[in-house]
Amino acid sequence: MARMVLKLASLAAATSGIYLYGNKFLDPNDFGVVRVGRAIATTAVITYDYLTSLRSVPYGSEEYDFLKSQVHLRSAERLRELCCANRGTFIKVGQHLGALDYLLPEEYTRTLKVLHSQAPQSTRQEIEQVIREDLGKEIKELFLSFEDTPLGAASLAQVHKAVLQDGRTVAVKIQHPKVQAQSSKDILLMEVLLLVVKQIFPDFEFMWLVEEAKKNLPLELDFLNEGRNAEKVAHMLKNFDFLKVPRIYWELSTRRVLLMEFMEGGQVNDRAYMERNGINVNEISRNLGRLYSEMIFVNGFVHCDPHPGNVLVKKCPASGKAHIILLDHGLYQVLSESFRMDYCRLWQALIKADMKRVQKYSRRLGAGDLYPLFACMLTARSWESVNRGIDRLPVSASEDVEIRSNAAAYLPQITRLLNNVPRQMLLLLKTNDLLRGIESALHTRASASSFLNMSRCCIRAVSTYQRNKSHSLYRRAQISLTEALSLWQINLYELFLWLKGSQLGNWVIALLSWMHHST
């Protein structure tokens, strides 16, 4: 059956392609028959590979594991080629999969990660067309200069550096002209193909991916929504003087064109750039953790695409302080109050290694009997480390390999769990994995300070929630006192850790040890 589908799809795609490629005025990717044929053919080949390659090999044997890894790799490469060919929505979904480092087999995440640097570029003519249609003027009327080569190209848009007539340097984000029309058809196509695959492989539970794309893509394609998100998060986190969010120029912004203040810096995972520019890597990692803990636990409004191209760092020449520049505000997750409180309490339980509460709040978040797997997915730690306390020891190389191997071994359970948890959890898991990838690149992963910052935010969030729910002045005062004591304990513990790691601390420990031996 798969062979027959493959032959028909390939024939349809090839026949259409011969005519379209021969016509210099037409791009074959604009035509549904080509995109559909290519997607069906790729899906059929991948399905047939999984059905036949592992059929005669004993499950669980070394040979089975080796062959499964090879099938994963071949399938991931085919999926990457499909995304690059169909572009737009396909690349966006492929990038999402590539970010799920500790949830999907490494063969997939490693292969699909390159999609962040292989996004398509629109031509100068296409860019001029979008600006003309949306702003009613030509590029030369709006700008003193406009760089043809984009600063960066993504799946849905690309960004150009330009100078306005009044001399302001700006970043101009312009949507690829065909994405809007193709996106809804692409999502429908993916939905149909995933339903077919699920009929063949009942354990295949990836419909959540299509559901998320359905909900989020229309928001990401509306650049006015992105501008509003940028202003909201800048106001919300105005107390963080290290955070910079580009200002939006509304007078020249539309649903497909967004004009922003131009900001530049090195990517947040570029350790060499930071060392060259005298930027403290640990400070950047710590501040990034503070930033996201505040968004997730306190505000419930979370920037969900922190891949390195969207998070820049730069040292301010005047103050000498390192700034974090947050870009691309199209994708945010709004957390409900009940979800946010359960998530706060779950992380508090994970940090304290309180396994009864880990089980309780994991179940409340939809994990059911898979709560141990859920805890490992959230923390990217082994179950043994979760039981001991995730802040006790940093992740070792062997533990990291174990976690990634388990992503392949427990794929059916992981996909089932992702299908059961609240939709709000899905983008948080992606965000967690992207942040861990940055920490790994900076060699600051699982430092105690990141867990301490999370603890502070959880304590503040839960205390604020409890005060708002309480009608008793005495009870509110009691909650505030408990909050202050808990935060003081964390500050004291942080001071202890600092002393322990400093030269002064070593002298104090040596002195106490000498006094102990003397007596």
Side-chain angles (χ1 to χ4, degrees), residues 76-268:
E77 288 170 348
R78 289 165 182 148
L79 197 57
R80 181 192 62 204
E81 289 167 8
L82 171 65
C83 292
C84 289
N86 276 10
R87 302 180 301 191
T89 309
F90 281 82
I91 285 184
K92 190 72 183 174
V93 171
Q95 288 173 342
H96 190 137
L97 289 172
L100 300 176
D101 258 321
Y102 296 90
L103 306 183
L104 295 180
E106 187 189 6
E107 294 87 352
Y108 277 93
T109 57
R110 186 178 69 242
T111 304
L112 296 176
K113 261 183 176 40
V114 300
L115 291 175
H116 281 294
S117 58
Q118 288 189 2
Q121 288 188 18
S122 293
T123 64
R124 170 78 181 208
Q125 290 74 22
E126 289 172 324
I127 293 302
E128 288 175 343
Q129 177 190 342
V130 173
I131 289 178
R132 191 183 306 116
E133 289 173 357
D134 281 39
L135 298 177
K137 291 184 178 180
E138 299 295 331
I139 284 179
K140 61 184 178 183
E141 295 178 77
L142 295 167
F143 306 104
L144 282 176
S145 65
F146 186 94
E147 293 187 3
D148 284 346
T149 304
L151 296 169
S155 54
L156 306 181
Q158 62 194 52
V159 179
H160 292 257
K161 184 179 179 181
V163 179
L164 291 170
Q165 295 291 348
D166 60 11
R168 288 176 294 176
T169 303
V170 294
V172 188
K173 184 172 182 178
I174 304 160
Q175 195 173 114
H176 298 311
K178 298 157 190 171
V179 167
Q180 192 85 243
Q182 292 171 345
S183 61
S184 57
K185 300 183 186 74
D186 286 346
I187 292 172
L188 178 61
L189 173 59
M190 289 179 200
E191 186 172 19
V192 171
L193 291 175
L194 287 176
L195 285 170
V196 171
V197 172
K198 183 168 170 51
Q199 293 302 310
I200 301 170
F201 301 105
D203 288 337
F204 187 86
E205 296 280 2
F206 271 81
M207 292 312 297
W208 58 269
L209 189 63
V210 174
E211 289 167 14
E212 283 300 290
K214 272 185 185 177
K215 182 183 75 175
N216 293 321
L217 260 177
L219 296 174
E220 290 188 81
L221 289 169
D222 181 1
F223 289 175
L224 296 178
N225 175 66
E226 179 176 343
R228 289 190 291 269
N229 287 343
E231 290 193 340
K232 181 175 178 177
V233 82
H235 177 74
M236 191 175 78
L237 302 175
K238 61 185 177 184
N239 293 331
F240 289 153
D241 59 356
F242 61 82
L243 174 65
K244 300 297 173 186
V245 176
R247 177 187 167 194
I248 306 298
Y249 298 118
W250 290 108
E251 68 275 13
L252 291 172
S253 294
T254 69
R255 289 174 63 91
R256 296 193 301 168
V257 179
L258 188 66
L259 250 72
M260 303 163 281
E261 176 185 3
F262 177 75
M263 290 184 173
E264 59 184 339
Q267 290 195 357
V268 71

Side-chain angles (χ1 to χ4, degrees), residues 289-305:
R290 285 177 62 198
L291 182 65
Y292 269 86
S293 292
E294 191 80 12
M295 282 194 275
I296 293 169
F297 300 113
V298 178
N299 295 290
F301 186 67
V302 190
H303 179 284
C304 286
D305 202 9

Side-chain angles (χ1 to χ4, degrees), residues 411-425:
L411 186 58
Q413 292 90 335
I414 289 172
T415 53
R416 192 167 85 241
L417 200 151
L418 292 174
N419 224 37
N420 291 338
V421 295
R423 301 297 92 184
Q424 300 166 79
M425 182 62 72

Side-chain angles (χ1 to χ4, degrees), residues 37-55:
R38 189 185 286 128
I40 291 174
T42 302
T43 305
V45 170
I46 291 173
T47 302
Y48 183 75
D49 199 358
Y50 274 104
L51 281 173
T52 57
S53 298
L54 303 172
R55 188 166 49 195

Side-chain angles (χ1 to χ4, degrees), residues 356-395:
K356 285 186 179 179
R357 286 167 64 83
V358 167
Q359 180 177 351
K360 175 184 175 180
Y361 289 107
S362 294
R363 288 182 181 276
R364 286 181 62 160
L365 289 169
D369 292 336
L370 294 173
Y371 71 89
L373 177 62
F374 185 53
C376 294
M377 286 165 60
L378 277 179
T379 59
R381 302 298 299 267
S382 67
W383 182 238
E384 181 185 350
S385 294
V386 171
N387 275 276
R388 282 188 309 178
I390 53 176
D391 63 337
R392 298 291 185 268
L393 291 170
V395 183

Side-chain angles (χ1 to χ4, degrees), residues 60-74:
S61 64
E62 285 187 17
E63 185 185 2
Y64 182 90
D65 291 340
F66 173 77
L67 286 176
K68 184 171 69 171
S69 175
Q70 296 300 305
V71 176
H72 282 336
L73 184 59
R74 288 196 299 270

